[in-house]
Amino acid sequence: MTAILKNIFNISNKKLLKDYGLVLAFMGICLVLSILSPSFIKPANLLNILRQTSINGILAVGMTFVIITGGIDLSVGSITAVAAVVASSFAHPGEHSIVFVIFSGLGVGLLLGFINGLFIAKAKLAPFIATLGMMTIARGMALVYTSGRPVINLSDQYNYIGGGYIGGIPVPVYIYGLVVIISFFVLRFTVFGRRVYAVGGNELSAKYSGIKTSNIKTLVYMISGMLSGLAGIVLSSRVMSGNPSAGTSYELDAIAAVVIGGTSMTGGVGTIFGTVIGALMIGVINNGLDLLNVSSYFQQIVKGSIIIFAVLMDKQANSKD
Amino acid sequence: MENNSETILEMDNICKSFPGVKALNNVSIKFKKRTVHTLMGENGAGKSTLMKVLSGIYQMDSGTMRLRGEDVIFQTPASALNHGIAMVHQELSPIVDLSVAENMFVGREPVLFKLPVINRKEMNKKANALFEEIGIKIDPKRRMGDLSVAEMQMVEIAKAISYDAEILILDEPTSAISDAEVSVLFKIIRNYTQKNKAVIYISHKMEEIFQISDEITVLRDGEFIGTNPASDVSEKELIKMMVGRNLNEIFPKTETKIGDVSLRVENLSLSGKFSNISFEARRGEILGIAGLMGAGRSELVESIFGVHPPESGSLYINGKEVKIRSPEDAIDLGMALITEDRKLTGLNLKDSVKNNVSIVFLKKLARAFSVVDKGREVSSVEELIKKLSIKTPSRNTNVSSLSGGNQQKVVIAKWLLSDPNILILDEPTRGIDVGAKAEVHKLMNQFTEEGKTVIMISSEMPEIMGMSDRLLVLSEGKLTGHFQRSEFDQEKILACAMNHIEKESN
């Protein structure tokens, strides 16, 4: 297949690897899985993968903004939990309008992200430290808010967000698609998006170029927080309960998706497209290993190895001569 | 002496290509013992590439190197070092948390009784002895990070000398050191060649080159142009060889009509940096700011530009008082600051030429939903690439792969695109070649011809005297001199820069 592509586009191996390596690897994994397990390629299973990917995918999109600025957000999993319990607590049948419920989840995520941003951009805390603190605080908040018990008895309207279908496709897939399209557009085509890259590439130079770098940094954590809120809504609605321990260690899968997608941990480089492929790759691997009856213990070893391998390949392809 | 000097190293038909660029094309040079051999050429001419081939950082594609008559190929810097070739790079890489001596002997520390334990006493003694021998006054026990850039540079040079290499390569060793240190360095170089060794010297500074060189080789666009004894060649001839054309004047200052005051600064102070600075700059004028390194010149312009806003004092633009609290404010008021260090504060090395050039202007390219107008962006960037003749394969090329001079042009393009009325340039031609320098000077002239204001900081006396209409001198954060063009006098200006001689302008 590589040879065919090479002939069609008349490009060198290296360029091919650099520009399409990730997609090729993804396609390769899909190919192998569909041979090993015929049920992998069935539409129902593919939709299932998409739905399972959507939550991590949404978190990974927010994480992409953060990592391009050279930061990291460890609090996304915990913020997911806070948003899940807050939105769920308003979502009992006949209590509040669904719009209010959704805004409560998004709002609480946005607020916690804003607090992350303040500590990082204004108080100059290292992003790792600030969001590590927030990860613990937000988890505690979710537990305190619910006294440790899941919030149940949610309205059908609310449960539709995570469990419904439109035209045979799960609603979370639409939500994820919308998030991807908007984020792709913002990062690629707007002044804000370009400033995100500028801040991550060289913060000092960005500052001298008249960019209010602290505003950009605050905003990316707000985006990440708000998308965590969205993920919390989708997750709690999907499982029909707001669980305070939901989203535990979700930050790691989100970071993995971003890194597999070719975004540089040192900032300045990365794309939403890459992150989407990265998230799908994780989703496909999880699903495929389940189908192949690989034990969940062993799955972790495979997943970790693939992450390291993907990043190694990317490094190889992007290395300078 | 030159005639009976024997050849130590011959580089023959060296070729080296990078994707898209032929960096070296059949370059052949002979280097002799007891000789300082200077390599000259514009940025991107291939000097550094050639030296990286020689010191084992790059491998040549074809060609031969003969060291003392024997064919050699160096796969690594370590193997070059083992063959007696040491290089001091232009960009230093000190380990800031180690001591000076630890930095010098890193990887070959003297040990106690063959145990893996460093013999600190011995190491410091060795370092001290070497410093004394070559005449540097630095305590080997000091932390590297506490040294000034100039001192670090001297330590690097001492380190290279301590290898006792047959061939010592110095890549722009004087770019960060003062005149006094330059003379120490030259004495070190002289002593070194006396020991039957060869020195290869890379520099852009004409005066220095004539002072120190025995032989001068010019490269241009990766090709060998010629080798001459320094005594047989003039500055004009060298420049002609380097640029391949005649430069009529090195500093072609054009007369412009000087208009109203555009920027007025009153009693500006920032503690620890500068105090009570007052001056004005006019339309159509190039105002030079001279002074020694560390005099507070960069801090002053950065403060005016809002990077570190002043603690007291006032600023007036076109007669109206303004408050500048951030670079964004300054840009909105029509100011631009081209900073001294393009890698630190000028460029995003991870991004393309296009995205670097348009970043300041982006705000003005926004349409609905703050979407960037790509068409206009591309056309204005392309226009500037052409106007400044930036040598880049395409606008989407990463700036990090451009040569220093072209990177500097990208920085200038970015600020020209913002269409400023007051252009501040901090050492705009440092480390760039003669051709690019002349182009920067031409741009400054064009700028003032349009009735705009230029403020320029430069440590190169001929440049600042050649280009400025008026000159301010700063010393230890205080304004110590003010000269009209007719009063320019190198000695008087230097005196103001070094002492606190207040020269009242009339």
Side-chain angles (χ1 to χ4, degrees), chain A residues 29-91:
Chain A
I29 290 173
C30 289
L31 196 70
V32 170
L33 286 174
S34 26
I35 293 167
L36 292 177
S37 164
S39 51
F40 173 81
I41 201 76
K42 284 185 183 143
N45 186 54
L46 294 180
L47 281 180
N48 190 27
I49 294 175
L50 274 178
R51 190 181 53 201
Q52 284 168 349
T53 300
S54 59
I55 288 169
N56 180 38
I58 291 168
L59 294 177
V61 164
M63 190 70 76
T64 307
F65 280 87
V66 170
I67 292 183
I68 289 175
T69 65
I72 189 102
D73 189 350
L74 299 177
S75 63
V76 294
S78 298
I79 295 180
T80 297
V82 175
V85 297
V86 169
S88 299
S89 71
F90 293 128

Side-chain angles (χ1 to χ4, degrees), chain A residues 6 21 46 64 69-70 77 106 111 121 142 145 153 157-158 160 169 179 185 202 223-224 245 247 255 259 276 295 301:
Chain A
K6 221 166 89 183
L46 294 180
T64 307
T69 65
L106 296 180
L111 179 71
Y145 188 74
N153 184 25
Q157 253 181 328
Y158 188 73
Y160 184 76
I169 295 170
V179 166
F185 180 81
N202 183 347
I223 290 171
S224 180
S245 58
I255 294 167
V259 170
V276 170
S295 89
I301 298 174

